[in-house]
């Protein structure tokens, strides 16, 4: 459940629809599904096995499993850097989500009615300002910190067990509302009728990046989680379960978004603001109950962001503690402070720092690319080569079969084949084509 909480987050509801819209809807989804099941789930099992076998955090895990082969710790280092970048970015987006709770409750969003242009303008005004996005970023970070410092991990587990299913139900309600809007069929077609011409090389790279981001793999976080998995849990089943849940939620989110996009005459490739610009239209078309549904939706989305943020922080904290011996509390505070500071710059790059470019990208865009299409595939490639070709086979069989108590005569050969050939080859092709394009 904790890993589902980590995987299901803004990536499913905010990120998936806008990337999917940009790269051709249905065609993107087909590429995404292939990556999720052939690469993502395999990587998740690999990370779980590396973590549970070694009982270490990313860098030391690689070293502990093959002490005589040097250099593999670097894969873990890339993972830690990626997690750091993702958390900084995540705090900004979670801040937007928190802000939208306030704007829903205060009635500012519903006052915009179903005027799509006004809603879009509201979003860009909100995110490009200085004060309010930073205020909400601060509120969200402090909330995370309080939860962690109070040590109510049990509490958050209970809250998310209750609220996550509620989020799914609410997304289903939104799907129904969205599909029954006038002219919604164009949006359904957009998802179901694949436009392969729009799926460029860049789109395929984005599909891979999104698959890894959404499953929280390719950054070592699942190695940390793997080290917490009880000895008698079935790793294959656990990983498949998480993969299926995560994917279903992403698909439902796009079914809630795209019909409404077309119904409101918005651009499906609307960029990072897509969810924030489309859903208020849907809520406001619900009449009097809109404010209630809108507030509820953004609260649930914030909880999804909260569970993901906390688990990202968990990985960074566990890694730092293992290397320095610092206390968990101190490390948590340190990393929240550092990522919030970077978050301030990411947030400002939506407005006042918009002209500040690194390699031609704003800070926001650069971070978005780093955390999805460059670093995770690299870390994933290292992890899967280590898992398929370097790590002792006996360790893998032992972990997959729980020391011989589960039959693995189908799952092991399948995992082995995918991990040795298909996954590395796929990652390599996508990485090279990404660099060349
Ligand atoms: N998977 C999360 C989402 O879909 C985002 C994420 C990426 C994440 N890497 C992570 C969350 C590591 C926790 C840990 O929103």
């Amino acid at each position: 459940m904790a890993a589902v909480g980590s995987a299901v987050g803004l990536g499913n509801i905010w990120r998936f629809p806008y990337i999917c819209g940009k790269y051709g809807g249905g065609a993107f989804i087909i590429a995404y599904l292939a990556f999720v099941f052939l690469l993502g789930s395999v990587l998740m099992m690999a990370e779980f096995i590396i973590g549970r076998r070694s009982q270490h955090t990313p860098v030391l895990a690689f070293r502990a499993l093959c002490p005589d082969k040097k250099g593999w710790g670097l894969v873990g280092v890339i993972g830690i850097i990626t997690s750091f970048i993702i958390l900084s970015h995540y705090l900004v987006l979670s801040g937007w989500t928190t802000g939208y709770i306030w704007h829903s409750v205060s009635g500012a969003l519903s006052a915009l009615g179903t005027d799509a242009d006004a809603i879009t303008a509201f979003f860009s005004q909100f995110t490009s300002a200085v004060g309010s996005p930073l205020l909400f970023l601060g509120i969200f970070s402090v909330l995370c910190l309080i939860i962690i410092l109070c040590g109510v991990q049990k509490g958050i587990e209970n809250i998310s067990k209750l609220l996550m299913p509620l989020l799914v139900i609410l997304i289903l309600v939104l799907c129904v509302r969205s599909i029954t809007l006038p002219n919604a069929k164009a949006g359904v077609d957009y998802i179901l009728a694949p436009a392969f011409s729009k799926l460029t090389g860049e789109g395929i790279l984005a599909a891979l990046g999104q698959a890894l981001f959404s499953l929280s793999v390719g950054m070592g976080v699942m190695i940390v989680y793997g080290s917490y998995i009880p000895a008698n849990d079935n790793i294959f089943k656990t990983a498949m379960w998480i993969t299926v849940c995560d994917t279903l939620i992403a698909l439902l989110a796009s079914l809630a978004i795209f019909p409404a996009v077309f119904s409101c005459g918005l651009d499906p490739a609307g960029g990072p603001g897509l969810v924030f610009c489309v859903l208020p239209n849907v809520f406001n078309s619900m009449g009097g109950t809109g404010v209630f549904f809108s507030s509820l939706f953004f609260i649930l989305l914030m909880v999804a962001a909260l569970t993901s943020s906390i688990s990202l922080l968990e990985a960074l904290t566990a890694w730092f503690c293992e290397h320095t011996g610092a206390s968990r509390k101190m490390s948590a505070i340190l990393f929240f402070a550092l990522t919030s500071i970077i978050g301030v710059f990411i947030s400002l790059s939506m407005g006042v720092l918009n002209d500040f470019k690194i390699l031609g990208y704003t800070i926001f865009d650069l971070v978005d690319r780093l955390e999805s299409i460059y670093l995770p595939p690299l870390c994933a490639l290292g992890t899967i080569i280590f898992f398929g070709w370097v790590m002792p086979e006996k360790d893998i069989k032992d972990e997959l079969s729980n020391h011989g108590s589960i039959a693995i005569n189908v799952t092991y050969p399948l995992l082995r084949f995918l991990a040795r050939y298909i996954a590395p080859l796929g990652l390599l092709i996508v990485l090279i084509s990404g660099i060349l394009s």
Side-chain angles (χ1 to χ4, degrees):
M1 280 312 280
V4 173
S6 157
V8 175
L10 297 172
N12 305 60
I13 294 156
W14 159 76
R15 203 164 194 287
F16 182 82
Y18 101 73
I19 309 250
C20 176
K22 189 166 169 194
Y23 296 109
F28 177 89
I29 292 180
I30 292 174
Y32 178 78
L33 289 178
F35 283 131
V36 160
F37 285 97
L38 294 179
L39 301 183
S41 64
V42 172
L43 256 154
M44 188 178 290
M45 286 176 225
E47 292 195 16
F48 280 166
I49 288 175
I50 292 172
R52 192 165 76 174
R53 189 67 180 177
S54 67
Q55 291 296 308
H56 281 297
T57 58
V59 182
L60 293 182
F62 289 98
R63 292 199 194 137
L65 291 175
C66 289
D68 51 333
K69 303 214 172 74
K70 301 260 178 287
W72 287 99
L74 187 64
V75 178
V77 175
I78 300 176
I80 293 295
I81 295 172
T82 315
S83 302
F84 185 89
I85 295 176
I86 293 183
L87 184 56
S88 309
H89 189 194
Y90 221 77
L91 291 177
V92 176
L93 304 163
S94 308
W96 293 357
T97 310
T98 316
Y100 266 60
I101 299 177
W102 167 246
H103 293 311
S104 302
V105 175
S106 73
L109 277 179
S110 63
L112 302 169
T114 48
D115 178 351
D117 290 338
I119 292 174
T120 309
F122 182 88
F123 172 77
S124 44
Q125 254 168 27
F126 169 63
T127 53
S128 62
V130 176
S132 58
L134 293 188
L135 173 72
F136 288 111
L137 164 78
I139 293 176
F140 183 83
S141 302
V142 170
L143 191 66
C144 287
L145 206 55
I146 291 175
I147 290 175
I148 285 183
L149 291 186
C150 294
V152 288
Q153 235 141 14
K154 274 264 167 320
I156 214 188
E157 218 172 282
N158 293 336
I159 292 178
S160 48
K161 271 184 195 163
L162 178 77
L163 293 186
M164 285 299 112
L166 203 59
L167 178 65
V168 175
I169 295 172
L170 191 61
I171 293 176
L172 282 171
V173 172
L174 288 178
C175 284
V176 174
R177 174 71 266 213
S178 183
I179 292 172
T180 50
L181 285 170
N183 199 20
K185 191 174 169 300
V188 180
D189 287 347
Y190 188 73
I191 300 175
L192 296 184
F196 285 104
S197 59
K198 282 201 198 146
L199 189 66
T200 53
E202 196 183 281
I204 292 181
L205 189 62
L208 172 73
Q210 174 62 16
L212 301 181
F213 183 89
S214 190
L215 293 178
S216 311
V217 295
M219 54 210 72
V221 170
M222 289 299 176
I223 295 183
V224 178
Y225 272 43
S227 73
Y228 303 152
I229 296 182
N232 51 0
D233 273 15
N234 183 331
I235 285 188
F236 184 85
K237 271 195 194 155
T238 307
M240 288 321 285
W241 212 82
I242 300 167
T243 307
V244 169
C245 284
D246 187 72
T247 307
L248 281 180
I249 295 184
L251 293 179
L252 280 179
S254 44
L255 209 54
I257 304 281
F258 287 112
V261 167
F262 284 87
S263 171
C264 304
L266 290 163
D267 176 10
L274 195 63
V275 168
F276 294 97
C277 299
V278 173
L279 288 183
N281 279 294
V282 180
F283 295 124
N284 293 348
S285 76
M286 289 174 163
T289 52
V291 172
F292 169 76
F293 279 115
S294 173
S295 313
L296 184 64
F297 174 80
F298 286 111
I299 290 173
L300 296 176
L301 190 58
M302 192 193 75
V303 174
L306 206 64
T307 55
S308 296
S309 304
I310 287 176
S311 72
L312 270 164
L313 186 73
E314 170 61 33
L316 291 168
T317 305
W319 164 78
F320 191 72
C321 291
E322 194 176 32
H323 281 264
T324 62
S327 77
R328 285 181 61 89
K329 280 191 179 171
M330 281 314 296
S331 321
I333 296 177
L334 175 74
F335 278 102
F336 250 121
L338 290 177
T339 47
S340 300
I341 293 170
I342 306 286
V344 168
F345 289 98
I346 297 175
S347 177
L348 293 180
S349 77
M350 296 298 284
V352 285
L353 290 184
N354 203 354
D355 292 330
F356 176 75
K357 301 254 163 75
I358 303 172
L359 305 171
Y361 296 108
T362 64
I363 304 178
F364 189 95
D365 289 339
L366 185 70
V367 162
D368 197 56
R369 294 179 81 86
L370 277 177
E371 76 185 8
S372 63
I373 59 185
Y374 298 130
L375 296 178
L378 202 61
C379 179
L381 186 62
T383 307
I384 210 69
I385 291 177
F386 177 85
F387 180 78
W389 298 90
V390 182
M391 186 177 166
E393 227 184 314
K394 176 182 171 298
D395 286 355
I396 301 177
K397 280 187 172 162
D398 249 14
E399 289 303 322
L400 198 66
S401 69
N402 288 355
H403 303 280
S405 59
I406 305 170
I408 54 166
N409 29 18
V410 179
T411 48
Y412 180 71
L414 183 68
L415 179 64
R416 187 90 182 142
F417 176 70
L418 289 174
R420 277 175 86 99
Y421 305 103
I422 303 299
L425 207 66
L427 284 165
L428 207 62
I429 293 175
V430 173
L431 259 175
I432 292 176
S433 67
I435 293 166
L436 294 182
S437 70

